[in-house]
Amino acid sequence: MSGVPTRTKNKKNPDIQGKVKDRSPNESELTPEASMASFQSSLDGISKQIQVLQNEMKTDLKTFKDEITTQMRNDLTELKGDIDQKFAKITTDISEHDEKICAALTRTEELESWSYEANGALQDIIQEQKMIMDKLDNLESRSRRNNLRVYGIHEEEESKYDSVAQFMDKWLREEFSINSDLQIQRAHRALAPKPKTGQTPRSIIINFQQFKVKEMILKKAWEKKTITFGENRIYFDHDYSERTLQQRKAYSNVKKILKKEGIRFQTPLNRMRIHWSSGVKTYGSADEATRDLRERGYDVENTGTSTGGSTIVKRLQSAGTATWTQTRSGRSGEAGRRARERLHDFHLRGNNTG
């Protein structure tokens, strides 16, 4: 009974029966142990392949690393060579600059020392020159002590007489009622170009043999105050040197203020004597008088006629107080000696050409 149904089943499923027939005897006979062995064999093969792949990748990476290292080493060597070359050039340039800077510093030190000493030497020379000019002006002023200047007489008025001295002798006697001999040695117009018609006439300079006669005429003229010749007003004054005239001219702005304020003043030679309510004060220069008037509240303009020597001395003194200090002082003596020698030679050449 049991065999019949089996046949019936095989007849009903022919495909299954065929497949069963197609299986090899080995497959149909595999055991679990054999299957595990086959699987393990497959894993071992895969593992070997992975190991081979790892070895190949290591080899490739090592080769790539060696190439990169070699390339970087070559590049670094080349870069180092370029840097060394540039550093060598920079070192050479720095050395050259150091030499130039040292030379410049040396010259600057010498120039500073020379300038410092030259400044002092110039101040000394200018002070000496001022003393000499003062003495020379004093000598010139003394040589003019017997001279008198007369301002305002028309040109050609003296043409009717044999000489200017004869004309002035006659006119002074008549004007001041003098009977004694005036002892005029010389008289002439100021040594300037003859003015055109209508312009201010040149002054007349009169040289008296005796100083007291000149002082007498000047005193009479100041006492009379208003003196005329024809329609012109005549003025008398001392015959000052050019330097003294410039010094007196510097007081012009001060005089304007004093006249405006009604303050009495006098100008003996190159000084000014002001009679303040608190007392009389004498000033030695226009700058001194200007400063004092400003301190007293008066608005006085600058004179603008300071002597060149004093101005230069002030500039040199202000230049002497420089903000920098000398870097070295050992060479100042030598530089000062050279400065004095050059200035002395220049001074001698100036005297020879003068």
Side-chain angles (χ1 to χ4, degrees):
M1 291 293 294
S2 59
V4 175
T6 304
R7 290 189 202 99
T8 305
K9 289 180 180 179
N10 290 338
K11 289 179 181 180
K12 292 181 178 179
N13 297 298
D15 294 333
I16 296 175
Q17 187 177 7
K19 289 181 180 180
V20 171
K21 290 181 179 181
D22 291 338
R23 288 181 181 177
S24 61
N26 293 332
E27 289 182 355
S28 61
E29 295 178 356
L30 285 177
T31 63
E33 290 79 4
S35 297
M36 288 298 297
S38 176
F39 179 74
Q40 185 65 36
S41 175
S42 298
L43 287 178
D44 291 340
I46 293 172
S47 177
K48 289 181 181 179
Q49 291 179 359
I50 291 173
Q51 187 66 36
V52 172
L53 181 62
Q54 286 179 346
N55 293 335
E56 291 178 355
M57 289 181 67
K58 286 181 180 180
T59 303
D60 294 341
L61 287 173
K62 186 177 182 302
T63 303
F64 179 73
K65 178 183 177 182
D66 294 340
E67 292 177 356
I68 292 296
T69 302
T70 303
Q71 183 66 32
M72 289 181 66
R73 185 179 290 110
N74 294 336
D75 292 344
L76 289 174
T77 302
E78 185 178 354
L79 179 62
K80 182 177 180 297
D82 293 340
I83 292 175
D84 290 341
Q85 184 178 0
K86 290 181 180 180
F87 267 119
K89 186 177 183 303
I90 290 173
T91 303
T92 304
D93 293 341
I94 290 175
S95 299
E96 294 177 357
H97 287 305
D98 285 342
E99 293 177 359
K100 293 179 180 179
I101 291 172
C102 290
L105 286 174
T106 302
R107 294 182 181 181
T108 303
E109 292 166 7
E110 293 179 354
L111 183 60
E112 288 176 0
S113 301
W114 187 91
S115 176
Y116 185 82
E117 294 294 333
N119 188 310
L122 277 174
Q123 292 187 46
D124 294 341
I125 289 175
I126 291 172
Q127 292 291 353
E128 292 178 1
Q129 182 187 22
K130 185 178 181 301
M131 293 175 57
I132 293 172
M133 291 297 295
D134 290 340
K135 291 182 179 180
L136 181 62
D137 186 67
N138 182 50
L139 289 174
E140 184 180 355
S141 297
R142 289 181 179 277
S143 69
R144 295 170 179 256
R145 290 179 74 247
N146 293 1
N147 292 355
L148 182 69
R149 279 191 182 254
V150 183
Y151 299 88
I153 298 179
H154 278 304
E155 298 278 343
E156 305 299 337
E157 289 290 344
E158 65 274 16
S159 61
K160 302 174 185 178
Y161 298 85
D162 294 338
S163 64
V164 180
Q166 184 182 9
F167 164 67
M168 293 305 300
D169 182 83
K170 180 178 182 301
W171 180 71
L172 291 174
R173 286 170 180 272
E174 294 175 355
E175 186 67 31
F176 299 113
S177 302
I178 300 174
N179 296 323
S180 60
D181 184 11
L182 297 181
Q183 299 180 349
I184 297 177
Q185 295 190 119
R186 293 179 302 277
H188 58 82
R189 291 279 181 178
L191 301 179
K194 185 176 180 179
K196 297 180 181 179
T197 305
Q199 294 181 340
T200 303
R202 295 172 294 175
S203 62
I204 295 177
I205 303 172
I206 307 170
N207 176 256
F208 294 90
Q209 186 174 352
Q210 294 187 18
F211 174 74
K212 62 180 182 178
V213 177
K214 171 245 183 172
E215 288 294 309
M216 177 194 68
I217 298 293
L218 191 58
K219 183 178 179 181
K220 287 180 176 293
W222 288 348
E223 288 177 350
K224 194 171 182 179
K225 293 184 179 180
T226 303
I227 302 173
T228 59
F229 188 93
E231 298 179 355
N232 288 357
R233 185 171 179 178
I234 308 303
Y235 299 92
F236 290 77
D237 202 354
H238 296 283
D239 182 25
Y240 297 110
S241 65
E242 182 65 26
R243 189 162 178 258
T244 303
L245 285 174
Q246 292 297 326
Q247 292 171 346
R248 290 173 61 84
K249 185 179 179 181
Y251 291 102
S252 58
N253 293 331
V254 177
K255 290 179 180 179
K256 290 179 183 179
I257 299 297
L258 295 176
K259 289 179 180 178
K260 181 180 178 181
E261 299 295 330
I263 302 173
R264 183 186 171 196
F265 66 90
Q266 296 169 313
T267 52
L269 200 59
N270 56 359
R271 299 177 180 272
M272 173 170 277
R273 187 183 300 117
I274 302 178
H275 297 261
W276 298 107
S277 58
S278 58
V280 180
K281 186 173 182 179
T282 302
Y283 303 92
S285 66
D287 291 336
E288 183 183 352
T290 300
R291 285 194 301 269
D292 187 61
L293 262 69
R294 286 177 178 171
E295 291 176 358
R296 294 173 184 265
Y298 297 99
D299 186 14
V300 186
E301 297 180 1
N302 291 327
T303 59
T305 56
S306 300
T307 56
S310 61
T311 304
I312 294 174
V313 170
K314 290 178 182 178
R315 290 173 59 187
L316 288 173
Q317 288 174 347
S318 63
T321 58
T323 56
W324 50 263
T325 56
Q326 289 180 275
T327 55
R328 294 182 186 175
S329 58
R331 303 177 181 175
S332 60
E334 180 65 20
R337 184 186 63 78
R338 293 200 303 269
R340 288 192 174 87
E341 289 179 354
R342 294 178 184 177
L343 290 171
H344 181 67
D345 294 341
F346 176 78
H347 187 62
L348 291 178
R349 287 198 299 271
N351 291 339
N352 293 333
T353 56

